[in-house]
Amino acid sequence: RLCPITEADARAMLDELRGKALLDGFRGTPPADRDALVKVMLAVGGEGGFVESLGDRFAEFELNPVICGPPGAVAVDARLVEAEESPALSKPSSATEDFHRLFAPGSVAVVGASTKKPNFGNMFLGFYKAAGFPGRLVAVHPTAPDIDGVPCVPSLADADVDYALVAVP
């Protein structure tokens, strides 16, 4: 649906999902909290929601994954791609200020990269490097000076970053 969506739109979209049975409880599992999921959808795409506050300054916006179960719903990760013809979000409005560091971080710490064997942390470091991340990138490792050419800090408290990607078992 096009934004802004209404509560009726959000509920209709959930009813149209091929995996709707998973929300309704499947094979003895309790149903997901649809009301909580609708609240997440409206906070993003409803009237006065996050998408509306951005106006035409974005090309794409994605929440993935959104985890919904009996106790509620939570967006675990988000991605914002700004429109090329729009000014950068260097000075966020008060409506987007809380989200700016999440969607356009100037610095990122990856927690969980290894000096001994490749793992998810190393994979994410590689992704950031391959994508040409323009900000400051650090790995969190208690003893290593660097991992795959990325400088390390001994703890997340020492990282001083906008965003932390945690990839630990």
Side-chain angles (χ1 to χ4, degrees):
R1 306 283 198 286
L2 293 175
C3 293
I5 63 169
T6 65
E7 182 177 343
D9 291 328
R11 292 188 187 283
M13 286 188 281
L14 294 177
D15 287 336
E16 294 167 8
L17 291 173
R18 285 188 303 171
K20 175 184 155 188
L22 297 173
L23 292 175
D24 295 334
F26 188 73
R27 294 186 179 167
T29 62
D33 184 347
R34 281 180 174 249
D35 292 336
L37 190 53
V38 167
K39 283 183 183 179
V40 170
M41 294 168 72
L42 292 174
V44 173
E47 188 172 332
F50 182 69
V51 168
E52 189 176 283
S53 73
L54 290 173
D56 61 355
R57 296 182 296 172
F58 76 102
E60 297 176 37
F61 180 73
E62 171 187 0
L63 295 179
N64 186 14
V66 174
I67 298 175
C68 186
V74 63
V76 177
D77 196 9
R79 178 174 170 259
L80 170 68
V81 177
E82 296 177 42
E84 290 180 9
E85 65 276 0
S86 297
L89 293 175
S90 58
K91 288 191 169 187
S93 70
S94 60
T96 61
E97 196 168 331
D98 291 343
F99 293 103
H100 184 72
R101 290 175 14 159
L102 177 64
F103 298 127
S107 54
V108 173
V110 175
V111 182
S114 173
T115 58
K116 296 183 171 102
K117 61 180 182 170
N119 63 16
F120 283 112
N122 297 75
M123 182 178 71
F124 288 117
L125 284 177
F127 290 160
Y128 276 107
K129 288 170 50 177
F133 178 66
R136 187 172 140 261
L137 179 63
V138 297
V140 176
H141 192 281
T143 59
D146 69 88
I147 296 176
D148 298 332
V150 175
C152 292
V153 294
S155 73
L156 189 54
D158 297 318
D160 189 31
V161 293
D162 294 331
Y163 186 86
L165 191 147
V166 180
V168 295

